[in-house]
CSV table of all heavy atoms in Angstrom, one decimal:
chain,number,residue,atom,x,y,z
A,915,ALA,N,-43.9,-42.2,61.1
A,915,ALA,CA,-43.2,-43.2,60.4
A,915,ALA,C,-42.8,-44.4,61.4
A,915,ALA,O,-42.4,-44.2,62.5
A,915,ALA,CB,-41.9,-42.7,59.8
A,916,ASP,N,-43.1,-45.6,60.9
A,916,ASP,CA,-42.7,-46.8,61.7
A,916,ASP,C,-41.2,-47.0,61.7
A,916,ASP,O,-40.6,-46.9,60.7
A,916,ASP,CB,-43.4,-48.0,61.1
A,916,ASP,CG,-43.1,-49.3,61.9
A,916,ASP,OD1,-43.6,-49.5,62.9
A,916,ASP,OD2,-42.2,-50.1,61.4
A,917,TRP,N,-40.7,-47.2,62.9
A,917,TRP,CA,-39.2,-47.3,63.1
A,917,TRP,C,-38.6,-48.5,62.3
A,917,TRP,O,-37.6,-48.3,61.6
A,917,TRP,CB,-38.9,-47.6,64.6
A,917,TRP,CG,-37.5,-47.5,65.0
A,917,TRP,CD1,-36.6,-48.5,65.1
A,917,TRP,CD2,-36.8,-46.3,65.3
A,917,TRP,NE1,-35.4,-48.1,65.5
A,917,TRP,CE2,-35.5,-46.7,65.6
A,917,TRP,CE3,-37.2,-45.0,65.4
A,917,TRP,CZ2,-34.5,-45.8,66.0
A,917,TRP,CZ3,-36.2,-44.1,65.8
A,917,TRP,CH2,-34.9,-44.5,66.1
A,918,GLU,N,-39.3,-49.6,62.3
A,918,GLU,CA,-38.7,-50.8,61.5
A,918,GLU,C,-38.8,-50.6,60.0
A,918,GLU,O,-38.0,-51.0,59.3
A,918,GLU,CB,-39.5,-52.1,61.9
A,918,GLU,CG,-39.2,-52.5,63.3
A,918,GLU,CD,-37.7,-52.8,63.6
A,918,GLU,OE1,-37.1,-53.4,62.7
A,918,GLU,OE2,-37.2,-52.5,64.7
A,919,GLU,N,-39.9,-49.8,59.6
A,919,GLU,CA,-40.0,-49.6,58.2
A,919,GLU,C,-38.9,-48.6,57.7
A,919,GLU,O,-38.4,-48.7,56.6
A,919,GLU,CB,-41.4,-49.1,57.8
A,919,GLU,CG,-41.7,-49.0,56.4
A,919,GLU,CD,-43.1,-48.7,56.0
A,919,GLU,OE1,-44.0,-48.6,57.0
A,919,GLU,OE2,-43.5,-48.7,54.8
A,920,ILE,N,-38.6,-47.6,58.6
A,920,ILE,CA,-37.5,-46.7,58.3
A,920,ILE,C,-36.2,-47.5,58.1
A,920,ILE,O,-35.5,-47.3,57.1
A,920,ILE,CB,-37.4,-45.6,59.4
A,920,ILE,CG1,-38.6,-44.8,59.5
A,920,ILE,CG2,-36.1,-44.7,59.0
A,920,ILE,CD1,-38.6,-43.8,60.7
A,921,LYS,N,-35.9,-48.4,59.1
A,921,LYS,CA,-34.7,-49.1,59.0
A,921,LYS,C,-34.7,-50.0,57.7
A,921,LYS,O,-33.6,-50.0,57.1
A,921,LYS,CB,-34.7,-50.1,60.2
A,921,LYS,CG,-34.3,-49.4,61.5
A,921,LYS,CD,-34.4,-50.3,62.7
A,921,LYS,CE,-33.5,-51.5,62.6
A,921,LYS,NZ,-33.6,-52.4,63.9
A,922,ALA,N,-35.7,-50.6,57.4
A,922,ALA,CA,-35.7,-51.5,56.2
A,922,ALA,C,-35.5,-50.7,54.9
A,922,ALA,O,-34.7,-51.1,54.1
A,922,ALA,CB,-37.1,-52.2,56.1
A,923,LEU,N,-36.1,-49.5,54.8
A,923,LEU,CA,-35.8,-48.7,53.6
A,923,LEU,C,-34.5,-48.1,53.6
A,923,LEU,O,-33.8,-47.9,52.6
A,923,LEU,CB,-36.9,-47.6,53.5
A,923,LEU,CG,-37.0,-46.9,52.1
A,923,LEU,CD1,-37.3,-47.9,51.0
A,923,LEU,CD2,-38.1,-45.8,52.2
A,924,CYS,N,-33.9,-47.8,54.8
A,924,CYS,CA,-32.5,-47.3,54.9
A,924,CYS,C,-31.6,-48.5,54.4
A,924,CYS,O,-30.6,-48.2,53.7
A,924,CYS,CB,-32.2,-47.0,56.3
A,924,CYS,SG,-32.8,-45.3,56.8
A,925,ILE,N,-31.8,-49.7,54.8
A,925,ILE,CA,-31.0,-50.8,54.3
A,925,ILE,C,-31.1,-50.9,52.8
A,925,ILE,O,-30.0,-51.1,52.1
A,925,ILE,CB,-31.5,-52.1,55.0
A,925,ILE,CG1,-31.2,-52.1,56.5
A,925,ILE,CG2,-30.8,-53.3,54.3
A,925,ILE,CD1,-31.8,-53.2,57.2
A,926,ASP,N,-32.3,-50.7,52.2
A,926,ASP,CA,-32.4,-50.7,50.8
A,926,ASP,C,-31.6,-49.7,50.1
A,926,ASP,O,-31.2,-49.8,48.9
A,926,ASP,CB,-33.9,-50.6,50.4
A,926,ASP,CG,-34.7,-51.9,50.7
A,926,ASP,OD1,-34.0,-52.9,51.0
A,926,ASP,OD2,-35.9,-51.8,50.8
A,927,ASN,N,-31.4,-48.5,50.8
A,927,ASN,CA,-30.7,-47.4,50.2
A,927,ASN,C,-29.3,-47.2,50.8
A,927,ASN,O,-28.7,-46.2,50.6
A,927,ASN,CB,-31.5,-46.1,50.5
A,927,ASN,CG,-32.7,-45.9,49.6
A,927,ASN,OD1,-32.6,-45.3,48.5
A,927,ASN,ND2,-33.9,-46.5,50.0
A,928,SER,N,-28.8,-48.3,51.4
A,928,SER,CA,-27.4,-48.3,51.9
A,928,SER,C,-27.1,-47.2,52.8
A,928,SER,O,-26.0,-46.6,52.7
A,928,SER,CB,-26.4,-48.3,50.7
A,928,SER,OG,-26.7,-49.4,49.8
A,929,CYS,N,-28.0,-46.8,53.7
A,929,CYS,CA,-27.8,-45.7,54.6
A,929,CYS,C,-28.1,-46.1,56.0
A,929,CYS,O,-28.5,-45.3,56.8
A,929,CYS,CB,-28.4,-44.4,54.2
A,929,CYS,SG,-30.2,-44.5,54.1
A,930,TYR,N,-28.1,-47.4,56.3
A,930,TYR,CA,-28.4,-47.9,57.7
A,930,TYR,C,-27.1,-48.2,58.4
A,930,TYR,O,-26.3,-49.1,58.0
A,930,TYR,CB,-29.3,-49.1,57.7
A,930,TYR,CG,-29.6,-49.6,59.1
A,930,TYR,CD1,-30.3,-48.9,60.0
A,930,TYR,CD2,-29.0,-50.9,59.5
A,930,TYR,CE1,-30.6,-49.4,61.3
A,930,TYR,CE2,-29.3,-51.3,60.8
A,930,TYR,CZ,-30.0,-50.6,61.7
A,930,TYR,OH,-30.3,-51.0,62.9
A,931,ASP,N,-26.9,-47.5,59.5
A,931,ASP,CA,-25.7,-47.7,60.4
A,931,ASP,C,-26.3,-48.0,61.8
A,931,ASP,O,-26.8,-47.1,62.5
A,931,ASP,CB,-24.8,-46.5,60.4
A,931,ASP,CG,-23.6,-46.7,61.3
A,931,ASP,OD1,-23.6,-47.6,62.1
A,931,ASP,OD2,-22.7,-45.9,61.2
A,932,ALA,N,-26.3,-49.3,62.2
A,932,ALA,CA,-26.9,-49.7,63.5
A,932,ALA,C,-26.4,-48.8,64.6
A,932,ALA,O,-27.2,-48.5,65.5
A,932,ALA,CB,-26.6,-51.1,63.7
Side-chain angles (χ1 to χ4, degrees):
D916 178 77
W917 191 266
E918 292 301 321
E919 192 170 358
I920 298 171
K921 285 172 60 176
L923 195 56
C924 280
I925 292 171
D926 289 343
N927 282 271
S928 303
C929 61
Y930 177 68
D931 180 346

